[in-house]
Amino acid sequence: MTVLLDGCVARSGWMLRVDGLEIGEGVTAVVGANGSGKTTLGRTVAGLDRLASGRLVIGDTVADDPAARVFVPAHRRSVGMVFQDHRLFGHLRVIDNVAFGLRRAGADRAAARRRAREMLDRVGLDSETWSRRPAALSGGQRQRVAIARALAPEPGVLIVDEPLASVDSSGRAQLRALIGESPARHTLLITHDPVDVATLARQLVVLDGGAVAGRGSLAEVTASPGCEWAATFLGANVVPGQAQGTAVTAETGLVLTVATEAAGPVYVTFPAHAVTLHRDRPAGSARNTWQAELQRVDVDGERARVHLGAPAEVRADVTRRSADELGLCPGLTIWASVKATELTVVT
């Protein structure tokens, strides 16, 4: 099964153009600045927006082809969608919101409710919430209901638009794992979170100004991001580890000192421009400092992106002049440092 989109969507004087975008199996992260077309792409695949021209094929089915006057409505596509604003049915109780798609697909009430209870339990909502209506829930609870509703029918394509934005830190890891384990053959993950990209995505699509600026594996798009926004976004470093107080120990043994206390498994994120490189060990104790082997240097104009290896795969952005002065080249052992205040802990 493949998803192939080649066409454009016109909305109120604005247009998204997509040329020959093939969405492979697994999780595809869709990233880009606000207004770049991410949500429109998701809505088009889901059948909520129509193509102005071109063709959308899901599996063996042509889902949208204006020239051929073909359009498969949303409820007839095997697509589940989690919206940024949840879009729950206010007049239905939580359990019936989750059972809705199953009932529409033909399941009887008892079977639909059994599956709904299973999914509500998996997203971490206790039975006391099941009989409530969405207005009585917190934003994080509504997001969990929306995720459960999308996953319950086991769609072939799952589209999740900023799925963890409303969820508290204690629930993000659980829901991130649930999305990653979805039985959907294709998952479109629309996100601004570099942790989601680093931990879930098999491939990446970058949108910029209503067009595809980059596509491929995370490594491929990081090497050639296609636009300035993506270059900055993909410069975010993500280091998994175990937190105890203000110390986070990575799997390789590297210990990072952070500014806020935490406990248990976490991700430490920090931008590439926050990393400083040195030929000799830097003086002072206020910064995290470690030695690493330089793997690659990518020069783009006056900027150089430096890729470091063990004990942590980290990227550093320096000026081209600094790279020349430091004599940066593959195989060189270099010192890296970053201030604790530049590190963000994400659960």
Side-chain angles (χ1 to χ4, degrees), residues 105-323:
D108 63 49
R109 187 170 186 268
R113 283 198 156 205
R114 279 196 302 272
R115 175 64 174 163
R117 286 192 290 269
E118 175 190 339
M119 291 309 306
L120 287 166
D121 184 61
R122 290 187 67 187
V123 299
L125 287 174
D126 59 52
S127 58
E128 292 183 2
T129 65
W130 299 354
S131 61
R132 297 177 187 171
R133 288 185 170 82
L137 304 179
S138 68
Q141 289 173 323
R142 288 194 293 271
Q143 188 76 317
R144 290 169 187 264
V145 176
I147 292 172
R149 183 179 64 179
L151 290 173
E154 298 188 348
V157 180
L158 176 66
I159 302 168
V160 283
D161 195 347
E162 299 289 357
L164 307 180
S166 302
V167 181
D168 58 33
S169 59
S170 63
R172 283 188 196 131
Q174 175 194 17
L175 294 181
R176 192 178 284 121
L178 191 60
I179 292 168
E181 296 165 1
S182 164
R185 294 279 295 276
H186 307 267
T187 297
L188 276 181
L189 173 64
I190 300 167
T191 184
H192 280 103
D193 190 336
V195 174
D196 291 346
V197 174
T199 58
L200 292 176
R202 289 185 59 183
Q203 56 184 334
L204 193 60
V205 173
V206 178
L207 296 181
D208 181 50
V212 176
R215 67 185 81 176
S217 68
L218 180 57
E220 289 169 340
V221 180
T222 298
S224 181
C227 66
E228 184 177 352
W229 183 94
T232 301
F233 175 80
L234 294 171
N237 293 295
V238 179
V239 179
Q242 288 284 332
Q244 184 173 3
T246 58
V248 177
T249 304
E251 296 174 355
T252 58
L254 174 67
V255 179
L256 295 172
T257 300
V258 297
T260 56
E261 293 191 359
V266 298
Y267 297 94
V268 177
T269 69
F270 50 99
H273 64 73
V275 182
T276 306
L277 301 179
H278 319 260
R279 288 299 295 265
D280 301 309
R281 185 184 184 107
S285 58
R287 295 177 292 189
N288 295 287
T289 304
W290 68 95
Q291 269 189 307
E293 182 177 310
L294 196 157
Q295 295 181 326
R296 193 173 83 242
V297 180
D298 298 327
V299 177
D300 181 10
E302 294 304 311
R303 181 183 69 91
R305 173 155 291 173
V306 182
H307 299 256
L308 304 179
E313 292 189 2
V314 166
R315 293 178 290 276
D317 282 348
V318 300
T319 64
R320 183 172 185 174
R321 179 178 177 179
S322 294

